[in-house]
Amino acid sequence: MLVKLSSGIYIGEAKVTDPISGKIRKLKHAVIHFGGNNSNIKGKTSDAPCRKCFNKHGDPGVTLTCSKCFQKGDMFSTYMYDVSFITFNTTTNGTCTTASCDEPDVVIKRAYGFLHNQNFGDYDLVFNNCEHFATACKTGKARCNQAALGFGVAGAIVYKAARRLRW
């Protein structure tokens, strides 16, 4: 069974502005995330805007949404940080890292920084995806173990080299 996972930063309460009326609404369970379906096709939207968070599903870049829009058919799971090397090598790629994460206030500040500045770059499934975004917020360094280790150790080495050449 193939499971689609999306990575984002749960921030709790947040305020969103209705683009039509200009009224501000408070969300109880908000998530900041990057990319998603159609995120590499600029300007393409797949659904009407959400009535709760006003998200236009499929908009490119870093977005703030309600947790329901973020989930959108995906399952929730916790990405684990600071795991042992043994745990890292025996779990599904893209679910954990040996890197330590920063304090929640630092993580949320980084996520809001990427949201307000829209400076996380263009979405790329292999080199700049939602896992890169979430790990950049949590650790200060963008990583994607799912892409890097999808083809074993050799794949991780090729991925690292290709990522460096790309920038």
Side-chain angles (χ1 to χ4, degrees), residues 128-147:
N128 200 41
N129 61 40
C130 60
E131 188 177 347
H132 288 100
F133 170 76
T135 57
C137 292
K138 295 285 276 185
T139 68
K141 185 174 181 180
R143 302 170 189 222
C144 181
N145 295 326
Q146 189 172 14

Side-chain angles (χ1 to χ4, degrees), residues 11-16 24-32 64-65 112:
I11 57 169
E13 283 191 3
K15 293 179 182 177
V16 292
I24 295 174
R25 176 179 295 163
K26 188 184 284 187
L27 298 177
K28 286 187 178 182
H29 303 286
V31 178
I32 296 177
L64 184 145
T65 66
Y112 269 114

Side-chain angles (χ1 to χ4, degrees), residues 141-159:
K141 185 174 181 180
R143 302 170 189 222
C144 181
N145 295 326
Q146 189 172 14
L149 300 173
F151 298 101
V153 175
I157 293 168
V158 169
Y159 169 81

